[in-house]
């Protein structure tokens, strides 16, 4: 090989390395944009990849991840292809592929360079790392939302317990006075009926207060023989009145004779 051929080969080799480095730089640049979703990230990488290959005008790229496909336009039925798996935490979740629409180079010769397979493997690892970081961040945000929701529920429980305690005393007075009025002699029939309504309504209100204390975990805990049907009806206590106001009917299909279970109601 003469000096000129050696210089030409060195120049071609250098140009290929420049294309590879440019590809990696462009991928790193879009990966740094945290506003991009995983879908947008993969679509951007697909657009970048063909420019790094030996025959960029005839190269096409495709990424398949979690059964979703991102590819350059008019992805062809190819003759040759290169592929590298995308694995995250040991689980294969897709692959990256570069393909040519028609044969390149001489007959029966592999149109892909060894360095191109190395580049594709590197890109696949980088894609896996990018997705893993984004999924970790999403899991973190999900956990934070769950913690905030749990904090809100705890606050609501404390408020419910406070309200329930405040209501217990006046309800006790109402029930006590209603019982005294019922014992009055010669009470008109209508007045007796009205007092009976007051008494029953107060009992119902006290039962709701009791349920509030249970749900806010302020009541004592102990296992007893429990009837599931009864517990279900108690659980619907807070829902029924709202459903009635919204024109919604609740239909329960319960076991006629459920077995008694040992549980904290």
């Amino acid at each position: 090989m003469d000096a000129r051929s050696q210089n030409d080969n060195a120049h071609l080799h250098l140009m290929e390395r420049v294309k590879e480095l440019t590809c990696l730089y462009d991928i790193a640049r879009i990966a740094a944009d945290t506003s991009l979703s995983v879908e947008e990230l993969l679509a951007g990488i697909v657009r970048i990849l063909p420019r790094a290959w030996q025959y960029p005008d005839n190269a096409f790229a495709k990424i398949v991840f979690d059964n979703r496909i991102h590819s350059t336009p008019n992805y062809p039925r190819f003759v040759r292809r290169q592929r590298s798996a995308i694995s995250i935490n040991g689980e294969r979740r897709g692959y990256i592929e570069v393909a040519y629409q028609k044969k390149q180079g001489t007959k029966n010769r592999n149109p892909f360079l060894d360095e191109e397979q190395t580049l594709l493997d590197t890109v696949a690892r980088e894609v896996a790392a990018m997705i893993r970081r984004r999924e970790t961040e999403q899991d973190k945000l999900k956990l934070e939302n769950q913690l905030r929701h749990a904090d809100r529920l705890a606050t609501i429980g404390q408020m419910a317990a406070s309200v329930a305690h405040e209501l217990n005393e006046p309800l006790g007075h109402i029930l006590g006075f209603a019982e005294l009025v019922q014992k009055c002699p010669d009470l008109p029939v209508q007045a007796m009926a009205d007092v009976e309504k007051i008494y029953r309504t107060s009992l119902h209100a006290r039962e709701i207060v009791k349920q509030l204390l249970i749900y806010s975990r302020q009541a004592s805990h102990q296992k007893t023989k429990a009837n599931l049907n009864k517990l279900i009806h108690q659980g619907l206590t807070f829902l029924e009145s709202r459903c009635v106001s919204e024109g919604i009917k609740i239909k329960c299909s319960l076991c006629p004779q459920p077995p008694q279970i040992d549980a904290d109601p």
Side-chain angles (χ1 to χ4, degrees):
M1 183 181 295
D2 57 27
R4 182 174 181 179
S5 297
Q6 289 179 348
N7 288 336
D8 289 343
N9 287 337
H11 179 72
L12 291 174
H13 183 78
L14 177 61
M15 293 301 297
E16 291 301 320
R17 300 295 77 73
V18 169
K19 287 194 294 184
E20 291 175 8
L21 291 174
T22 302
C23 171
L24 292 174
Y25 170 77
D26 290 340
I27 290 175
R29 185 169 50 82
I30 66 171
D33 187 352
T34 56
S35 66
L36 295 178
S37 66
V38 171
E39 303 295 315
E40 292 169 330
L41 178 66
L42 297 182
I45 293 173
V46 159
R47 290 192 297 269
I48 292 170
L49 280 176
R51 299 196 297 266
W53 260 248
Q54 187 174 192
Y55 307 105
D57 292 338
N58 294 318
F60 295 82
K62 177 170 69 175
I63 296 179
V64 177
F65 182 75
D66 285 351
N67 296 320
R68 296 190 298 274
I69 299 175
H70 305 271
S71 66
T72 48
N74 303 316
Y75 199 82
R77 293 180 62 84
F78 48 81
V79 175
R80 296 288 182 88
R81 70 182 180 186
Q82 267 184 323
R83 180 178 291 184
S84 186
I86 299 174
S87 299
I88 300 177
N89 297 327
E91 178 187 0
R92 177 168 176 164
R93 295 175 61 179
Y95 60 85
I96 302 179
E97 182 176 281
V98 175
Y100 285 123
Q101 186 174 13
K102 57 185 179 181
K103 291 182 179 179
Q104 306 295 326
T106 60
K107 187 176 181 180
N108 297 326
R109 179 185 173 188
N110 184 359
F112 297 105
L113 303 174
D114 293 339
E115 294 85 348
E116 289 172 341
Q117 183 62 58
T118 301
L119 174 62
L120 196 62
D121 294 341
T122 300
V123 173
R125 289 194 297 270
E126 288 301 313
V127 168
M130 296 171 195
I131 295 173
R132 184 169 58 248
R133 285 194 295 270
R134 279 166 168 75
E135 290 182 342
T136 299
E137 186 64 27
Q138 290 173 356
D139 290 342
K140 179 181 176 182
L141 291 174
K142 183 178 179 181
L143 180 59
E144 288 176 350
N145 288 333
Q146 290 174 341
L147 289 174
R148 282 194 290 269
H149 182 63
D151 286 341
R152 287 196 295 269
L153 289 179
T155 301
I156 291 172
Q158 292 170 357
M159 292 175 61
S162 178
V163 170
H165 283 302
E166 292 296 326
L167 289 176
N168 258 336
E169 185 174 352
L171 281 174
H173 292 318
I174 293 172
L175 285 168
F177 284 119
E179 290 176 343
L180 289 175
V181 172
Q182 286 177 327
K183 295 177 181 179
C184 292
D186 303 324
L187 194 69
V189 175
Q190 184 58 50
M192 182 62 74
D194 292 340
V195 172
E196 180 62 24
K197 289 179 182 178
I198 293 172
Y199 186 77
R200 288 200 307 271
T201 302
S202 298
L203 283 177
H204 179 65
R206 192 165 68 174
E207 182 62 26
I208 291 177
V209 169
K210 178 182 175 182
Q211 295 299 320
L212 278 173
L213 288 173
I214 291 174
Y215 286 120
S216 64
R217 300 295 189 266
Q218 297 297 314
S220 59
H221 296 263
Q222 59 180 357
K223 286 188 176 182
T224 61
K225 291 292 183 180
N227 182 293
L228 289 176
N229 287 355
K230 182 179 178 181
L231 295 179
I232 291 171
H233 284 299
Q234 289 176 344
L236 292 173
T237 300
F238 301 113
L239 187 63
E240 287 176 332
S241 59
R242 181 175 179 182
C243 288
V244 169
S245 64
E246 296 289 340
I248 299 171
K249 293 182 179 179
I250 298 177
K251 182 178 179 180
C252 290
S253 298
L254 304 176
C255 176
Q257 294 180 336
Q260 296 282 319
I261 62 172
D262 290 323
D264 182 341

